[in-house]
Amino acid sequence: MTTQDPIQFVNAAIITLNYNNDPQSKREADSFLQKFQSTPGAWSVSHHLLLHSNDIAVQFVTANILYHKTKYDWRGLDLETRRGLLLSFFELVKKKSGQPSLSVVFNRICLTLSAAIARSTSDLLSQVLESLFSDAQNDEGKLVLLEVLSNLVEEVNSAVMTLKELTENKRAMQNFMERIVLLVKQIVTESERGQNANTRSLVEKSLIVLCHWVKFGIPLSFVSEGSQGKSLLEYVFDFVNPNGPYIPSIEILLQLFAKPARFEKASALLNKPSFDQGGSGDSFFLYVVDRVLRLRPMWQGMKDDDQFTKGLVRLGIGVGEGNLTALLHSNNNWDVKLKYLAFLVELTASANDKGTEMCINFWSCAEESVRSCDVSQKQTLFPVFNELIQVLLRRIEWKDEFEDEEEEESLYSLRTHSRGFFSGMTQFFGIELYIQSLFTQLQSCPGIEHWKQAEAIIMVTGCLSATANVDELTKPGVNEVIQKIIEIIFKFPNHPKFHSAAALFIGNLGGWFNKNPNELGKAITYLVQLFHSSDVESRSTSVESFKNLCEMCGELMSSNLETLIQAAESAFPLFGINDRAALMEGLVNVVVYLNPSQVTSAMYRIIGPVLARIDQLVKVGTREASQSVKPELSLLSKAFELPDNDQEIQTVDIPLEMILPILNSLLAVWHSETEVMKLLCDLFKIAINGVDRKQFIGNNHLIDLLNNIAKLYSSYHQDFCIDLIQNAIDTGVKIQKETELVMIFEAVSSTTFSILSSNRSHVSLIGSFFSLCNSMIKKNPICLRSPSISIAVQLSIACFGINGKQSFYL
């Protein structure tokens, strides 16, 4: 049947695919049609069914087959075949046009025609477009032309062809740009005069075409040309209304005026004559701004229309962002530009959360651009940004309840975007201009019923203070205001969201507390109280802020370390691993300022809860406990890491005799758990490098440790064991344990020889072993007398092809 009657067979397969309820039959039909699409006969069969079938599903599927064949097989056809197919496409377009019930089929055939000419020669492309323009004398012909033009840009951009062919095709298309503008203008002019019965569909389609072709490269001068009456640009602006085709119109305007240029290099539409009839002759940019401002009353009456509001937000913000230079750096016409900025503030206030995020992105760009403004310009712009802060304060307020998770996540996202904007404010305007206003507003929020407003104010104040330098924060006027804000925080009724924001604010004031040391104790007491909050977020933010203050004010806090450690010990069981790490890291930053005689006992107090937790898990000894011990080992590692306070401070010296027994017990219990052993070896490496070497003198701590690791290596062949031993060579030599190091080296060499004799695929093991050999020879030369050197040389020769570089150096 396939060879005798392919048309009927394809028709039956499409009917089955679309109307048969049997899944197996549908799968078989789909599989057949996919294979059929790749055959040469698909061209003629699809054409026949499109001409003669009355079933819309059959027509759409065959039109789709033609499109895919054109997209992927057109390049393999000769010129005559292409011309013949183009004629058949024209025949199909004419047959299907003007029939509303077949619009989806008509659109697909036009798409096929676009795909065909996009992949043809530039001459053929030009010929087809000339023919389509010649036929566009009535609505039917215009609709065909517009449909083809609307797809052509994307089809050319996606076509697989040589760079030369692509360039020639785009050059050929550029020759039609002015005619396309004239066509669109003719259609919209006729619509204004009421000369066309199919006005709305043609106008909307023509604007979609214009949008694609403006993106392709139609210049602004073509669209704004108005020497013989109203320009096309004015028509596009006029269409931005709730009853007009505002969606494509806004997209056109965004393509023209919102190019992705930023800051000083932003495009400024200056010194171009205005084509606004009766206009003042000001710069073209001011004409554009004026046209957007004319939309303001319309927008105010349509705020409930989400789609229209979203479009106006994109247009207003886009014009501003694309022309920051003209908007913020020219001293002319400030009255108009300030009105425009005020309108953008209104848009920021009324948009949904996602729209407000887009607005904030613009304002952040504006902040950067303001950087290069002079003092008078900044003073002129300050009221706009101040009003913007008031708008955003209202937008970022928490809600008592959210309708769903999406609404809550949207507000979280908006607040995150806002933080970056607020943080930038002090860089360009300074904190002094804002903080008094924020303090005044905070004073009007005394009770728990005002917690949402108070929390938003504290959040913004925290963002502003985070980027202000100490000199700004301690200026007369600012210093006193910060002190008063802190007093309000301490007295504010208990609400977790408020105190979470307040904790972050206090954590950013480390430099300020160094200049106001009498205020630090109260702040620490406040944060410590939040350690015991029932709210997880409040606990986490209080710990993070505590750590920040320890880093900035460690010397001031060292006199009260005992109190701080007691507070940490009582709160430690309440915290997750990340908060415990932050708490311990903070305390270590205070310990480094103690007298040397106090450091050991203080550090043991700090790491004591971690060691107790590890000891407890070791006694349990289960597989589950081994998973729980891993973060504890990572946490303990942090105690050996020296804080960087940019000054000469003593080394943190962990008491090894107190911790080695617990850590060695890990080897006995979980020696077969690779991840635990790797973390343990990493911890040992940090400890060997971090503690005072005197702790290894007069005892066998180091050698016992390395012997245990050598045994672990003998059993489980892990390269991290070798890395630990190599890391310890320098310390071993310094404490005069050269002979013992050679014995450990001999044990590792023997194990390695045994492993690699049977299997040389351990590439990482080979590299680690040869690295150990090199370090041992350089730092402990007496190993050259050891028989293990001959083993190392044999392995070097045997493994040269696997790890030639390390073998060669050995």
Side-chain angles (χ1 to χ4, degrees), residues 514-559:
N514 279 325
K515 298 286 186 177
N516 296 268
N518 293 333
E519 303 296 326
L520 180 59
K522 291 180 284 186
I524 295 298
T525 300
Y526 172 76
L527 294 176
V528 168
Q529 289 174 345
L530 291 179
F531 286 179
H532 298 273
S533 170
S534 59
D535 180 67
V536 176
E537 184 179 1
S538 295
R539 289 204 303 265
S540 293
T541 52
S542 65
V543 171
E544 190 63 31
S545 295
F546 176 82
K547 184 191 81 169
N548 292 342
L549 292 185
C550 289
E551 291 175 354
M552 294 292 295
C553 312
E555 190 170 10
L556 284 174
M557 296 168 67
S558 60
S559 59

